[in-house]
Amino acid sequence: MARKKIIAGNWKMNKTPSEAVALVEELKPLVANEDVDVVFCVPAIDIVPVVEAAKGTNIQVGAENMYFEESGAYTGEISPPNMLVDAGVKYVVLGHSERREYFGETNEDVNKKILKAFEHGITPIMCCGETLQQREQGVTMDFIRQQVKVGFQGVTADQAKTAVIAYEPIWAIGTGKTATTEQAEEVCAGIRACIAEVYDEATAEAIRIQYGGSVNAATAPELFAQADIDGGLVGGASLKADFGKIVNYK
Ligand code: PGA
């Protein structure tokens, strides 16, 4: 069975609650494509108004992060079951390179969060990707395999089948420098092979793997046509009308 494409916007630390509602209103008609899964991953403070504004549309709402505990004395953190699920969140971006770089998240932290997300029926979008130095040193796949293997420790095959992995080369994020289609497909195929090794062919066939890093309306069609690229995680271009073109890339 063909995998359904999943095209997710990652708003990062942009848009106030009122701006967020205005953006959803603007994008609603432009992203109305039932052939793909459309997800808006938004700042925590925007989740409630965005869920409300997206009611009755094909837009699903995701968080950009969460904590791996359920409640308690964790000032400033967001609880998956009590807050995200209750608010109507379906997806959560975990292990984005910005969280790893600026907030010290490790593969082990990401693993705990992935397990917790699954426990509460939230689909994780786990990010992985190499630095430019790692690419030049020829260790891209070794590095990513470690991120995937540790990130998915303890995840069952049935859970992994529903997961999303976003391959985002760090050197391509927010730089305007998209990986070439060949580079993106090569790594996404490598991630699928890694999943087949850890689990089995059926799991590898089911899991969805996105490419992210300066995706725009011009580059999306060729990227998303690759055998192992099941959509995209889109930063900058998800904040404008261009996102409609990306969602309707065909
Ligand atoms: P970008 O961000 O599309 O602005 O490069 C992608 C991401 O960080 O998810």
Side-chain angles (χ1 to χ4, degrees), residues 130-162:
E130 81 287 4
T131 62
L132 189 56
Q133 191 185 24
Q134 287 164 334
R135 177 160 283 274
E136 286 169 355
Q137 290 169 337
V139 298
T140 295
M141 229 32 246
D142 300 315
F143 183 72
I144 291 172
R145 285 168 58 87
Q146 182 165 4
Q147 289 183 315
V148 171
K149 284 187 171 183
V150 179
F152 275 69
Q153 208 120 109
V155 173
T156 67
D158 281 345
Q159 289 171 332
K161 283 185 177 111
T162 67

Side-chain angles (χ1 to χ4, degrees), residues 10 12 96 98 168 172-174 213-215 233-236:
N10 173 13
K12 308 196 179 187
H96 190 280
E98 288 150 16
E168 299 202 304
I173 296 177
S214 298
V215 173
L233 184 59
V234 184

Side-chain angles (χ1 to χ4, degrees), residues 45-60:
I45 198 166
D46 296 341
I47 288 172
V48 170
V50 166
V51 167
E52 187 59 34
K55 271 208 178 109
T57 74
N58 62 320
I59 299 167
Q60 303 181 78

